[in-house]
Coordinates of all heavy atoms in Angstrom, one line a residue:
G24 N 0.9 -1.1 0.0 CA 0.1 -0.1 0.0 C 0.9 1.2 0.0 O 1.7 1.4 -0.8
F25 N 0.7 2.0 1.0 CA 1.5 3.2 1.1 C 2.7 3.2 2.1 O 3.4 4.2 2.4 CB 0.7 4.4 1.3 CG 0.0 4.4 2.7 CD1 0.5 5.1 3.8 CD2 -1.3 3.8 2.8 CE1 -0.1 5.0 5.0 CE2 -1.9 3.8 4.0 CZ -1.3 4.4 5.0
I26 N 2.9 2.0 2.8 CA 4.1 2.0 3.8 C 4.9 0.8 3.4 O 4.5 -0.1 2.9 CB 3.3 1.8 5.2 CG1 2.6 0.5 5.3 CG2 2.5 2.9 5.7 CD1 2.2 0.1 6.7
P27 N 6.1 1.0 4.0 CA 7.1 0.0 3.6 C 6.7 -1.3 4.5 O 6.2 -1.1 5.6 CB 8.5 0.5 4.2 CG 8.2 2.0 4.2 CD 6.7 2.2 4.4
H28 N 7.1 -2.5 4.1 CA 6.8 -3.7 4.9 C 8.1 -4.6 4.5 O 8.4 -4.9 3.5 CB 5.6 -4.3 4.2 CG 5.2 -5.8 5.0 ND1 4.5 -5.6 6.2 CD2 5.3 -7.0 4.5 CE1 4.3 -6.9 6.5 NE2 4.8 -7.7 5.6
A29 N 8.7 -5.1 5.6 CA 9.9 -5.8 5.5 C 9.7 -7.1 6.2 O 9.2 -7.2 7.4 CB 11.1 -5.0 6.1
I30 N 10.2 -8.2 5.6 CA 10.2 -9.5 6.2 C 11.5 -10.4 6.0 O 12.3 -10.0 5.2 CB 8.9 -10.4 5.7 CG1 9.1 -10.4 4.2 CG2 7.7 -9.8 6.1 CD1 8.1 -11.4 3.4
N31 N 11.6 -11.4 6.6 CA 12.7 -12.3 6.6 C 12.2 -13.4 5.7 O 11.0 -14.0 5.8 CB 13.1 -13.1 8.0 CG 13.7 -12.0 8.8 OD1 14.5 -11.2 8.4 ND2 13.5 -12.1 10.1
L32 N 13.1 -13.8 4.6 CA 12.7 -14.8 3.7 C 13.9 -15.7 3.3 O 15.2 -15.2 3.4 CB 12.1 -14.3 2.4 CG 10.7 -13.7 2.3 CD1 10.4 -13.0 1.0 CD2 9.7 -14.8 2.5
N33 N 13.6 -16.9 2.8 CA 14.7 -17.7 2.2 C 15.0 -17.0 0.9 O 14.2 -16.6 0.1 CB 14.2 -19.0 1.9 CG 14.3 -20.1 3.0 OD1 15.2 -19.9 3.8 ND2 13.4 -21.0 3.0
C34 N 16.4 -16.8 0.6 CA 16.8 -16.4 -0.6 C 17.8 -17.3 -1.1 O 18.5 -18.0 -0.3 CB 17.3 -14.9 -0.5 SG 18.7 -14.9 0.5
M35 N 17.9 -17.5 -2.4 CA 19.0 -18.5 -2.9 C 19.3 -18.1 -4.2 O 18.6 -17.4 -5.0 CB 18.3 -19.9 -2.9 CG 17.1 -20.0 -3.6 SD 15.6 -19.7 -2.6 CE 14.3 -19.9 -3.7
A36 N 20.6 -18.4 -4.6 CA 21.1 -18.1 -6.0 C 21.4 -19.4 -6.5 O 21.9 -20.4 -6.0 CB 22.4 -17.3 -5.8
T37 N 21.2 -19.4 -7.9 CA 21.5 -20.6 -8.8 C 23.0 -20.6 -9.0 O 23.6 -19.6 -8.7 CB 20.7 -20.6 -10.1 OG1 21.2 -19.4 -10.8 CG2 19.2 -20.5 -9.8
P38 N 23.5 -21.7 -9.5 CA 25.0 -21.7 -9.9 C 25.3 -20.5 -10.9 O 26.5 -20.1 -10.9 CB 25.2 -23.0 -10.5 CG 24.1 -23.9 -9.8 CD 22.9 -23.0 -9.6
E39 N 24.3 -20.1 -11.6 CA 24.7 -18.9 -12.6 C 24.5 -17.6 -11.9 O 24.7 -16.6 -12.6 CB 23.7 -19.0 -13.8 CG 23.6 -20.3 -14.6 CD 23.1 -21.6 -13.8 OE1 22.1 -21.3 -13.1 OE2 23.6 -22.7 -14.2
G40 N 24.2 -17.6 -10.6 CA 24.0 -16.3 -10.0 C 22.8 -15.6 -10.0 O 22.6 -14.5 -9.5
E41 N 21.7 -16.2 -10.5 CA 20.3 -15.7 -10.4 C 19.8 -15.7 -9.0 O 20.1 -16.6 -8.3 CB 19.5 -16.6 -11.3 CG 19.7 -16.7 -12.7 CD 18.8 -17.7 -13.4 OE1 18.9 -18.9 -13.2 OE2 17.9 -17.2 -14.1
L42 N 19.1 -14.7 -8.7 CA 18.6 -14.6 -7.3 C 17.2 -14.8 -7.1 O 16.3 -14.3 -8.0 CB 18.8 -13.2 -6.7 CG 18.3 -12.7 -5.4 CD1 18.8 -13.6 -4.2 CD2 18.6 -11.4 -5.0
F43 N 16.7 -15.6 -6.1 CA 15.3 -16.0 -6.1 C 14.9 -15.9 -4.5 O 15.8 -16.1 -3.6 CB 15.0 -17.3 -6.5 CG 15.2 -17.5 -8.0 CD1 16.4 -18.0 -8.5 CD2 14.1 -17.3 -8.9 CE1 16.5 -18.2 -9.9 CE2 14.3 -17.6 -10.2 CZ 15.5 -18.0 -10.7
L44 N 13.6 -15.6 -4.3 CA 13.1 -15.7 -3.0 C 12.1 -16.8 -2.9 O 11.5 -17.2 -3.9 CB 12.2 -14.5 -2.6 CG 13.0 -13.1 -2.5 CD1 11.9 -11.9 -2.3 CD2 13.9 -13.0 -1.5
S45 N 12.1 -17.5 -1.8 CA 11.2 -18.7 -1.6 C 10.0 -18.3 -0.8 O 10.0 -17.5 0.1 CB 12.0 -19.7 -0.8 OG 11.2 -20.9 -0.6
C46 N 8.8 -18.8 -1.2 CA 7.6 -18.4 -0.5 C 6.7 -19.8 -0.5 O 6.0 -20.0 -1.5 CB 6.9 -17.4 -1.2 SG 5.5 -16.7 -0.4
S47 N 6.6 -20.3 0.6 CA 5.6 -21.5 0.9 C 4.3 -20.9 1.4 O 4.3 -19.9 2.0 CB 6.2 -22.4 1.8 OG 7.4 -23.0 1.4
A48 N 3.3 -21.5 1.0 CA 1.9 -21.0 1.3 C 1.7 -19.5 1.0 O 1.2 -18.7 1.9 CB 1.6 -21.3 2.8
C49 N 2.3 -19.0 0.0 CA 2.3 -17.6 -0.4 C 1.0 -17.0 -0.6 O 0.8 -15.8 -0.2 CB 3.2 -17.6 -1.7 SG 4.2 -16.1 -1.7
P50 N 0.0 -17.7 -1.1 CA -1.3 -16.9 -1.3 C -1.9 -16.4 0.1 O -2.6 -15.3 0.1 CB -2.3 -17.9 -1.9 CG -1.3 -19.0 -2.6 CD 0.0 -18.9 -1.7
S51 N -1.5 -17.0 1.2 CA -2.1 -16.5 2.4 C -1.1 -15.5 3.1 O -1.5 -15.0 4.1 CB -2.1 -17.8 3.4 OG -0.8 -18.3 3.6
K52 N 0.0 -15.1 2.5 CA 0.9 -14.1 3.1 C 0.5 -12.7 2.7 O 0.3 -12.5 1.5 CB 2.3 -14.6 2.8 CG 2.6 -15.9 3.5 CD 3.9 -16.3 3.4 CE 4.1 -17.6 4.2 NZ 5.4 -18.2 3.9
Y53 N 0.6 -11.8 3.6 CA 0.3 -10.4 3.3 C 1.1 -9.8 2.4 O 0.8 -9.2 1.4 CB 0.4 -9.6 4.7 CG 0.3 -8.1 4.6 CD1 -1.1 -7.6 4.5 CD2 1.3 -7.3 4.6 CE1 -1.3 -6.3 4.3 CE2 1.2 -5.9 4.5 CZ -0.2 -5.4 4.4 OH -0.4 -4.1 4.2
W54 N 2.5 -10.0 2.4 CA 3.4 -9.3 1.5 C 3.3 -9.7 0.1 O 3.4 -8.9 -0.8 CB 4.8 -9.5 2.0 CG 5.3 -10.8 1.7 CD1 5.3 -12.0 2.6 CD2 6.1 -11.3 0.6 NE1 5.9 -13.0 1.9 CE2 6.4 -12.7 0.7 CE3 6.5 -10.7 -0.5 CZ2 7.1 -13.4 -0.2 CZ3 7.2 -11.3 -1.5 CH2 7.5 -12.7 -1.3
S55 N 3.1 -11.1 -0.2 CA 3.0 -11.4 -1.6 C 1.9 -10.9 -2.3 O 2.0 -10.7 -3.6 CB 3.0 -13.0 -1.6 OG 1.8 -13.5 -1.0
S56 N 0.8 -10.6 -1.8 CA -0.3 -9.8 -2.5 C -0.1 -8.6 -2.9 O -0.8 -7.8 -3.7 CB -1.5 -10.0 -1.7 OG -1.4 -9.1 -0.5
H57 N 1.2 -7.8 -2.4 CA 1.5 -6.6 -2.8 C 2.5 -6.4 -3.7 O 3.1 -5.5 -4.1 CB 1.8 -5.8 -1.5 CG 0.7 -5.5 -0.6 ND1 0.2 -6.4 0.3 CD2 -0.2 -4.4 -0.6 CE1 -0.9 -5.9 0.9 NE2 -1.2 -4.7 0.3
V58 N 3.0 -7.6 -4.2 CA 4.1 -7.7 -5.3 C 3.5 -7.8 -6.7 O 3.0 -8.8 -7.0 CB 5.1 -8.9 -4.9 CG1 6.1 -8.9 -6.1 CG2 5.8 -8.8 -3.6
G59 N 3.7 -6.8 -7.4 CA 3.1 -6.8 -8.8 C 4.3 -7.0 -9.6 O 5.5 -7.2 -9.3
P60 N 4.1 -6.9 -11.0 CA 5.2 -7.0 -12.0 C 6.1 -5.9 -11.9 O 5.8 -4.8 -11.6 CB 4.5 -7.0 -13.4 CG 3.0 -7.2 -13.1 CD 2.9 -6.8 -11.6
E61 N 7.5 -6.2 -12.0 CA 8.4 -5.2 -11.8 C 8.3 -4.4 -10.6 O 8.5 -3.2 -10.5 CB 8.4 -4.2 -13.1 CG 8.7 -5.0 -14.4 CD 10.2 -5.4 -14.5 OE1 11.0 -4.7 -14.3 OE2 10.3 -6.6 -14.8
E62 N 8.1 -5.1 -9.4 CA 7.9 -4.4 -8.0 C 9.3 -4.0 -7.5 O 10.2 -4.7 -7.4 CB 7.2 -5.4 -7.1 CG 7.0 -4.8 -5.8 CD 5.7 -3.9 -5.8 OE1 4.9 -4.0 -6.7 OE2 5.8 -2.9 -5.1
P63 N 9.4 -2.7 -7.3 CA 10.6 -2.1 -6.6 C 10.7 -2.6 -5.2 O 9.7 -2.8 -4.5 CB 10.6 -0.7 -6.7 CG 9.1 -0.4 -6.8 CD 8.5 -1.6 -7.6
G64 N 11.9 -3.0 -4.7 CA 12.1 -3.4 -3.3 C 13.5 -3.2 -2.9 O 14.4 -2.6 -3.6
R65 N 13.7 -3.5 -1.7 CA 15.0 -3.5 -1.0 C 15.4 -4.8 -0.5 O 14.5 -5.4 0.2 CB 15.1 -2.4 -0.1 CG 15.1 -1.0 -0.8 CD 14.8 0.1 0.3 NE 15.6 0.2 1.4 CZ 16.5 1.2 1.5 NH1 16.8 2.0 0.7 NH2 17.3 1.2 2.6
L66 N 16.7 -5.3 -0.5 CA 17.1 -6.5 0.0 C 18.3 -6.3 0.9 O 19.2 -5.4 0.4 CB 17.6 -7.4 -1.1 CG 18.2 -8.8 -0.8 CD1 17.1 -9.8 -0.4 CD2 19.1 -9.2 -1.9

């Protein structure tokens, strides 16, 4: 919405160096419903 929201998550990189976040049971989580395409964030 209009406020920052920060959480702890699994993050992992592939051998090629690609970065991913892991999200189990994601549809029920608050943060994931606020991530649209090309969503800006901070890690």
Side-chain angles (χ1 to χ4, degrees):
F25 63 93
I26 61 169
H28 182 79
I30 56 168
N31 291 321
L32 281 176
N33 275 329
C34 62
M35 55 275 179
T37 63
E39 298 77 29
E41 298 173 287
L42 175 61
F43 294 93
L44 296 177
S45 179
C46 188
S47 298
C49 215
S51 66
K52 296 189 176 163
Y53 176 78
W54 73 273
S55 62
S56 66
H57 290 87
V58 176
E61 297 294 305
E62 184 71 31
R65 292 162 55 99
L66 177 79

